[in-house]
Amino acid sequence: MTSLRIGTHNVNGIRAAGRRGFGDFWREQEADVVALQEVRCRVADLPDDAFAGYHATYEPGTLAGRNGVAVLTRTPPERVRSLSGEAWRTSGGELVPVVADALPNRDLAPFRHEGRYLEVDLADAPVRIASLYLPKGAAWPHEPEGKDKYDRKMRFMRGLGRLLTASRRDAAAEGREFLVMGDFNVAHTRQDLKNWRTNQRTEGFLPEERDWFGTLLGPRTLVDVVRRLHPDAPGPYSWWSWRGQSFSNDVGWRIDYHLASPRLAASAERGGSARESDYDARMSDHCPVIVDYRV
């Protein structure tokens, strides 16, 4: 058995997070794998120490200053997949382009160059890791002007559901466990946000979003690992607004997840949200979510 510490972190801009202590935090955690979302930086503009000394696999997308997902590992992964069939990998201390396996999906085709989904097969453990940044959407019809954003999110979710099923099954056929992590922009249940009563018409907690999230989960498909570890607790939250006293009063949402194949989920020993000690210590509007697994 091998112990793996695996984390996910929406950094809301890697350069800003770096100035706020991102590198020091992850060095102290000694995580084996870190999935990142909203890296929001062109490859040419990345600081030299952007990825805290890890081997990086990065799908920046083509939208300047937006999105971008990465997976940081101790050793180069065996295989890379992305929606676009493109990615960048660390080689000799620099990021260089690499041909990735494209993930065909009709519903996800309009998003293939947005830097929203990336998979890697670990070289030192039988696990396939995915990093996800799901669109935020909008609360249509409660916000009539938000219909286009609402429709885009619904389309992405339809495609993602099929993609996760295919990737999980493909990983299993190759003798690998499957773990998708990242910012799903959905709070699944009332436990997953503080003010659920007043947010029932808010994007991220719409009934259809929550129902869709439920279709991903099952004892033979994917397991919400942090909820399994904390079955009765509120949260633990992973996102708080920068505004007001949301962070100080822990008025948050749990929208960053580890969804694992059942055997991998059962091996989780401990984990949850690595919430910073105070507002001034925050690296992002999201905190890391870290789980220790036995593989």
Side-chain angles (χ1 to χ4, degrees):
M1 298 287 284
T2 300
S3 179
L4 288 178
R5 173 162 289 184
I6 302 178
T8 183
H9 194 184
N10 180 320
V11 294
N12 196 16
I14 191 66
R15 287 170 290 186
R19 293 191 295 270
R20 296 179 181 129
F22 169 87
D24 289 341
F25 174 85
W26 285 107
R27 278 188 286 270
E28 290 172 3
Q29 290 297 316
E30 298 184 339
D32 298 286
V33 181
V34 185
L36 303 180
Q37 303 84 43
E38 282 203 273
V39 177
R40 294 170 52 181
C41 190
R42 298 184 307 172
V43 170
D45 297 330
L46 286 166
D48 291 340
D49 60 348
F51 297 124
Y54 284 90
H55 180 97
T57 306
Y58 182 31
E59 163 58 307
T62 59
L63 302 177
R66 295 175 59 189
N67 308 339
V69 289
V71 179
L72 311 185
T73 54
R74 294 297 184 186
T75 58
E78 286 189 359
R79 190 175 178 188
V80 178
R81 300 171 183 83
S82 70
L83 296 180
S84 65
E86 301 171 357
W88 295 73
R89 281 182 19 179
T90 303
S91 177
E94 297 182 357
L95 281 176
V96 298
V98 61
V99 176
D101 293 339
L103 293 163
N105 186 295
R106 183 174 59 188
D107 280 318
L108 296 180
F111 306 91
R112 64 184 179 274
H113 295 297
E114 293 190 7
R116 291 189 178 276
Y117 186 87
L118 177 70
E119 290 180 0
V120 305
D121 287 353
L122 300 184
D124 47 4
V127 183
R128 179 171 299 171
I129 301 286
S131 180
L132 166 73
Y133 178 48
L134 199 146
K136 182 179 179 182
W140 183 83
H142 315 297
E143 299 175 9
E145 70 281 1
K147 188 175 189 307
D148 288 346
K149 290 183 177 179
Y150 172 89
D151 288 344
R152 286 188 87 245
K153 185 175 186 178
M154 294 298 116
R155 179 170 185 170
F156 191 98
M157 291 193 301
R158 285 196 305 271
L160 179 66
R162 292 199 301 273
L163 174 61
L164 295 182
T165 297
S167 290
R168 174 179 53 79
R169 289 174 174 172
D170 184 64
E174 296 182 6
R176 290 182 176 272
E177 300 298 326
F178 181 69
L179 173 62
V180 55
M181 297 180 287
D183 181 358
F184 281 75
N185 265 315
V186 176
H188 182 209
T189 73
R190 295 176 180 180
Q191 286 177 269
D192 296 319
L193 72 167
K194 183 69 170 284
N195 291 333
W196 65 267
R197 290 183 178 84
T198 57
N199 279 293
Q200 296 178 78
R201 294 186 173 186
T202 301
E203 70 271 9
F205 198 60
L206 299 176
E208 56 269 41
E209 295 173 324
R210 298 168 58 201
D211 289 346
W212 167 82
F213 194 95
T215 67
L216 303 180
L217 307 178
R220 297 183 179 180
T221 54
L222 293 173
V223 176
D224 180 348
V225 177
V226 172
R227 179 55 65 218
R228 175 184 171 275
L229 293 171
H230 304 275
D232 302 317
Y237 308 128
S238 63
W239 178 87
W240 301 261
S241 171
W242 286 113
R243 299 190 298 271
Q245 299 297 311
S246 294
F247 185 81
S248 299
N249 295 330
D250 201 19
V251 180
W253 293 55
R254 189 172 78 99
I255 57 177
D256 302 88
Y257 296 87
H258 288 228
L259 303 187
S261 50
R263 186 175 180 181
L264 180 61
S267 79
E269 298 178 313
R270 66 187 67 82
S273 295
R275 186 176 185 268
E276 292 91 343
S277 58
D278 57 61
Y279 183 94
D280 292 336
R282 300 178 74 187
M283 294 175 280
S284 166
D285 52 351
H286 298 249
C287 77
V289 180
I290 304 171
V291 175
D292 291 337
Y293 296 91
R294 294 283 290 174
V295 179

